Amino acid sequence: MRSTTDAPSTHPARAADVAQRFEFEFELDSGRSLGRVGGKGTLGPALYDGAHIWRAQDTPDGPATLRITRSGRAADAAAWGPGAHAAISGVPDLLGARDDPAALVPAHRVVAEWARRWPRRRLTATRSIWEHVIPTVCGQKVPGLNARNAWQGILRRWGRNPPGPAPASLRLPPDAGMVASLAYHEFHRFDVERRRAEAIIEFARRARTLEGVARLDPATARSRLQAVRGIGGWTASIVVLLCHGDPDSVIVGDYQIPSFVTWYLAGERRGDDSRMLELLEPYRGQRARVQALAKSAGAPPRHGPRMSLQDLQGR
């Protein structure tokens, strides 16, 4: 990878505080390459605006707004705010420069087909923890629509405006110090019951220390995160997958993912964690990548009712 500093900003409103051009040895994915970063919904810390990816993030130097424009094997990045330099330095990781899709060795014909269909898909690594906690905890054991509505409500109430000329729907996650001061019942308006609310608050109280988990190896990071009350294997695996870009941060305890895997790898419409892990064993080291590819391939034939929406007010 090559980089050139001080590439000119093309945003008409305000010149970037820092700008840099990156050139890679691989073709960049032209799709939504940051994956689940930012959570679900219109508001969030990661947005797509035509050719641009916008990202709002907290850094050790302060908040930053980052804009990435991709073209072929190059990306032009511009950043604003106190954390502009730190945000720029993280661009290669965000675009998957440290990931190696070729490490996936297909043991099934369908996996080989996925590898051919999506050769540019790389795992992003944000190298941060707190930003992923609230949207992930909001998704614990509830339908996706509940999770999205909760996250969007929390961002409308407590999300922060990022620096610079950011799109109106770009938001920094709620400040951990502020969240640590909340009472659990303040989350009820977003249909987040006491158990999940207390998990978010407990993590917020330890967020400064737990941010250091981003520097640990993935297995140790997952173990450290699960030491927080309310953070189980499902949540820890998703957070580490996003933070580290770990291709083996296999997700267990999910309502849908086992059936995606069992359908495509064994033709079985309904699967559980045990069967999924059995089928994924040949891919140890790349299991999360195979899970993600299976989800991208589409849902298996429906077998049974959808998970119903839940009214969690007052719980």
Side-chain angles (χ1 to χ4, degrees), residues 206-222:
R206 300 168 61 179
R208 186 183 298 273
T209 299
L210 288 170
E211 200 61 42
V213 168
R215 298 187 293 272
L216 302 177
D217 66 88
T220 304
R222 284 190 292 271

Side-chain angles (χ1 to χ4, degrees), residues 24-107:
F24 301 94
E25 296 180 352
F26 56 89
E27 291 284 331
L28 296 173
D29 186 352
S30 59
R32 300 199 164 201
S33 58
L34 300 195
R36 300 175 69 161
V37 172
K40 299 178 179 178
T42 304
L43 300 177
L47 301 173
Y48 296 85
D49 175 21
H52 305 307
I53 299 173
W54 290 89
R55 173 164 156 78
Q57 63 187 100
D58 288 303
T59 79
D61 300 324
T65 294
L66 176 67
R67 188 191 69 218
I68 304 172
T69 306
R70 298 159 295 172
S71 178
R73 297 189 175 196
D76 291 303
W80 295 262
H85 283 281
I88 287 283
S89 70
V91 167
D93 282 350
L94 282 177
L95 297 180
R98 296 195 195 185
D99 187 33
D100 180 16
L104 174 63
V105 179

